[in-house]
Amino acid sequence: MLKNSLLLVAMAMTIGVSIWGMVDTQGLSDFATEWVKITLRSRGWFVMLTVSILLITSLILAFSKYGHIKLGPEDEKPEFSTMSWLTMMFAAGMGVGLLFYGAAEPISHFLFLVQQGPQTPKMANEALFITLFNWGLHAWAIYGVTALVIAYFGFRKNAPQLISGPIRSTFGDHPVAVGTGWIVDLLAIYAIAIGLAGSLAMGVFQVEDGVASLFNLDNTGMRLTLTIFAVLCAAYIFPLMVDLSKGMAVLSNTALIIAVGLLIYLLILGPTSFLMAGIVESIGDYFFRVIPAGFSTFAFFDETVKVWFESWSLNYMVWWLAWSPFVGVFIARISRGRTIRAFILGVLLAPTFFSIFWFGVFGGIGFYQGAASKLDPAVVNENINQTTFLLLQNMPLTVLTTVATTIAAFLFIVTSVVSAAYVLSMFSIGGSQNPSVKIKLIWGVILGARGLVMILSGSVGAIRNIIAMSAGPFVFVVLLLLLCLLKSLKNEKV
Amino acid sequence: MATFFDTLMNLLVFSFVGLLVWLYFRKPASNQKHRDDGPEHEA
């Protein structure tokens, strides 16, 4: 282990930032906020251009002559059924964020739009559209391209399933390619560690508010937060010590089944026709406007709009980029035997349609309850974590749905941390599929420490900025990976 | 200062895009050893 320079440098970087965060939480948070502000302002246009290029290129590839190419030997059949494949992919890619932002994000955008001018009914459509833009095709194009490149080179060219694999496979053993590969793997490890820790912190906030809502606790302070964090750490350490791959899949599927159950419950017991009407409007609105919206940079708007755009859409795109090595490697591993066309269409369309339903139901109920004065929309500004639970309080069986949401959030986080510790360990020992328990435990502890730093920052905004700061270079890495794929496809005989 | 940083960041982006274009059209050197030269087999 001590001879593995990549592992040592990656650990030193993540531990270093963790210590900084623990010693001077506010300092790290302020630095991240300032850094993200400067970088997103100066090359935000490049991030938006890149994610649009990724989406358009994916669609072109799916319908091109290369669409028939199989990710693996030509006679290979897919390892998982299509339904299992889509379920696992979605649970890995979105997870706890859906529970967190389901109602809060559309309401946040709606409030912002109302502040910008006189309120009109169209603002609710616009708020849903912006939310879907942040969670839809562009997000999945980032994951999809990363996963496609890793799967293509892994299963057809026998490259190691590392972010550097395609680069080394395309450019050979030239020292520049070797050096670039090393740096890219390092950045991937770092981005995964930060992204996951942020998600862990958000999950803890979500579970905390669920518990507070259940027991009517007010002003619980850090004591409850840290208790939940400790329980979470205890829950993920055990699976890291034993091989529970099938058990983890069961936990992940359970979380998703609870989430889908919640969605159906709200759709049936909520204002069904109102929600369905909103969802149908969203489908049309989204698919007609999504490609041009990818090129929106709000260049000629005032500072308020620019800051809002940078802290939501741009921040989301950078966030998906931070998660792309982790989710990309995971999706690649479960996609062996699928054609490029089936892969791209599955990765892009299935999660996007699910998101349209998810936000249509949660956001729609948020708007409905807001209009009926049952839910104060200002809650998203006061305590965004509570939005989902306040919404559930206005529905029947509140205790049951609150418990279910809390359990789902908890399970999403446990499975994410275990999977991330596995991927980080795999990356740091050169792509081996069987990392030792010792390395997995070390990464588990580091992820916990990073999560604690994020929790201590106490603010979802600060967490998002710390993630965005760490993921900055990934916009370049994903483009480099796409280049490797396009270069290699030129040599395919189709 | 912000303008200087802004320009520097964008120069970095332009250089990167230029590098990508060059890499896409660049032919591999005759002595370049590719990892995928071997036959396909199970990963």
Side-chain angles (χ1 to χ4, degrees):
Chain A
M1 187 176 119
L2 289 174
K3 288 180 183 171
N4 186 336
S5 58
L6 181 70
L7 178 63
L8 290 178
V9 176
M11 282 183 174
M13 276 173 71
T14 37
I15 292 170
V17 179
S18 304
I19 292 171
W20 179 11
M22 283 179 189
V23 173
D24 183 13
T25 311
Q26 193 57 43
L28 174 63
S29 173
D30 291 345
F31 179 81
T33 305
E34 191 58 26
W35 176 261
V36 168
K37 191 176 152 194
I38 293 172
T39 50
L40 289 188
R41 183 60 58 89
S42 62
R43 57 183 171 85
W45 64 270
F46 184 60
V47 173
M48 295 310 288
L49 183 63
T50 300
V51 294
S52 291
I53 287 173
L54 294 178
L55 176 58
I56 292 168
T57 312
S58 314
L59 292 172
I60 292 173
L61 273 180
F63 294 105
S64 71
K65 59 182 179 178
Y66 303 116
H68 296 292
I69 293 175
K70 210 161 233 188
L71 300 172
E74 289 305 320
D75 56 348
E76 177 111 11
K77 293 270 179 280
E79 192 180 345
F80 299 97
S81 71
T82 303
M83 189 47 88
S84 295
W85 177 61
L86 293 174
T87 309
M88 285 191 281
M89 187 167 71
F90 196 73
M94 296 303 177
V96 74
L98 283 174
L99 292 170
F100 198 94
Y101 285 109
E105 185 169 344
I107 295 174
S108 295
H109 295 317
F110 181 76
L111 286 185
F112 176 78
L113 293 169
V114 169
Q115 283 167 8
Q116 298 306 302
Q119 184 174 338
T120 67
K122 199 72 189 155
M123 284 177 175
N125 291 68
E126 191 62 25
L128 271 176
F129 174 80
I130 297 162
T131 309
L132 292 176
F133 174 79
N134 294 342
W135 290 78
L137 291 173
H138 290 81
W140 285 92
I142 296 170
Y143 288 162
V145 167
T146 312
L148 177 64
V149 181
I150 293 169
Y152 173 85
F153 282 96
F155 300 140
R156 285 186 75 87
K157 305 288 179 185
N158 199 29
Q161 293 208 342
L162 298 169
I163 301 296
S164 63
I167 297 168
R168 297 286 303 276
S169 182
T170 307
F171 299 106
D173 289 334
H174 189 284
V176 177
V178 175
T180 307
W182 191 89
I183 292 170
V184 162
D185 281 340
L186 181 69
L187 291 174
I189 293 173
Y190 187 66
I192 293 173
I194 303 281
L196 206 282
S199 199
L200 194 151
M202 280 174 47
V204 169
F205 292 151
Q206 184 78 44
V207 173
E208 179 192 0
D209 278 294
V211 173
S213 172
L214 269 177
F215 299 103
N216 290 322
L217 304 173
D218 283 328
N219 300 320
T220 51
M222 278 311 243
R223 192 183 298 171
L224 180 60
T225 317
L226 294 177
T227 307
I228 290 167
F229 173 72
V231 173
L232 200 67
C233 290
Y236 76 68
I237 289 294
F238 176 68
L240 288 177
M241 295 165 73
V242 287
D243 182 20
L244 284 176
S245 50
K246 281 191 181 161
M248 292 326 292
V250 170
L251 288 184
S252 171
N253 286 343
T254 308
L256 201 63
I257 288 167
I258 294 175
V260 172
L262 206 60
L263 177 79
I264 295 170
Y265 165 81
L266 289 177
L267 180 64
I268 304 295
L269 289 187
T272 312
S273 53
F274 171 81
L275 296 176
M276 285 309 298
I279 289 168
V280 170
E281 278 212 25
S282 289
I283 293 173
D285 207 24
Y286 180 71
F287 284 103
F288 268 96
R289 293 171 53 200
V290 66
I291 299 286
F295 293 91
S296 294
T297 56
F298 297 90
F300 308 113
F301 282 75
D302 62 24
E303 187 64 16
T304 318
V305 176
K306 280 183 179 168
V307 168
W308 163 80
F309 166 66
E310 283 162 6
S311 51
W312 283 99
S313 296
L314 249 182
N315 208 302
Y316 263 116
M317 295 307 144
V318 178
W319 194 356
W320 305 135
L321 283 162
W323 275 69
S324 65
F326 167 43
V327 182
V329 166
F330 178 76
I331 297 178
R333 283 193 65 199
I334 60 172
S335 303
R336 191 183 176 107
R338 293 186 185 274
T339 62
I340 287 182
R341 176 170 304 155
F343 175 88
I344 291 174
L345 293 182
V347 171
L348 288 184
L349 294 180
T352 301
F353 270 106
F354 186 86
S355 297
I356 290 175
F357 269 87
W358 184 270
F359 288 105
V361 168
F362 277 81
I365 289 192
F367 292 144
Y368 189 84
Q369 292 185 355
S373 302
K374 287 181 177 173
L375 179 76
D376 180 9
V379 67
V380 293
N381 296 329
E382 290 153 15
N383 187 353
I384 195 167
N385 317 332
Q386 277 185 348
T387 317
T388 306
F389 296 111
L390 289 176
L391 184 140
L392 293 174
Q393 278 176 7
N394 296 320
M395 302 287 291
L397 303 173
T398 304
V399 175
L400 183 71
T401 51
T402 305
V403 170
T405 308
T406 310
I407 291 174
F410 193 83
L411 292 180
F412 271 132
I413 289 300
V414 171
T415 50
S416 295
V417 177
V418 174
S419 312
Y422 173 81
V423 172
L424 285 168
S425 308
M426 205 179 93
F427 273 17
S428 45
I429 54 167
S432 162
Q433 307 273 320
N434 295 305
S436 68
V437 170
K438 191 168 76 178
I439 293 185
K440 282 195 285 184
L441 276 177
I442 290 172
W443 276 117
V445 170
I446 293 175
L447 285 176
R450 293 305 324 255
L452 184 61
V453 171
M454 301 281 199
I455 289 168
L456 291 176
S457 74
S459 143
V460 176
I463 291 171
R464 289 164 65 118
N465 283 331
I466 296 172
I467 295 173
M469 179 176 74
S470 314
F474 253 83
V475 67
F476 301 108
V477 175
V478 176
L479 278 176
L480 188 59
L481 292 180
L482 180 63
L483 173 99
C484 293
L485 177 69
L486 296 179
K487 231 174 136 58
S488 193
L489 284 178
K490 278 200 295 186
N491 300 323
E492 286 277 356
K493 295 177 183 68
V494 286
Chain B
M1 188 62 188
T3 312
F4 170 73
F5 190 79
D6 199 77
T7 310
L8 198 66
M9 279 290 202
N10 283 292
L11 278 177
L12 178 75
V13 169
F14 297 147
S15 310
F16 180 75
V17 172
L19 178 71
L20 285 185
V21 173
W22 177 72
L23 285 173
Y24 183 76
F25 290 106
R26 172 180 168 265
K27 296 232 174 343
S30 55
N31 61 347
Q32 184 174 313
K33 194 172 125 197
H34 275 260
R35 287 194 155 197
D36 57 338
D37 285 346
E40 288 171 9
H41 59 282
E42 299 288 312

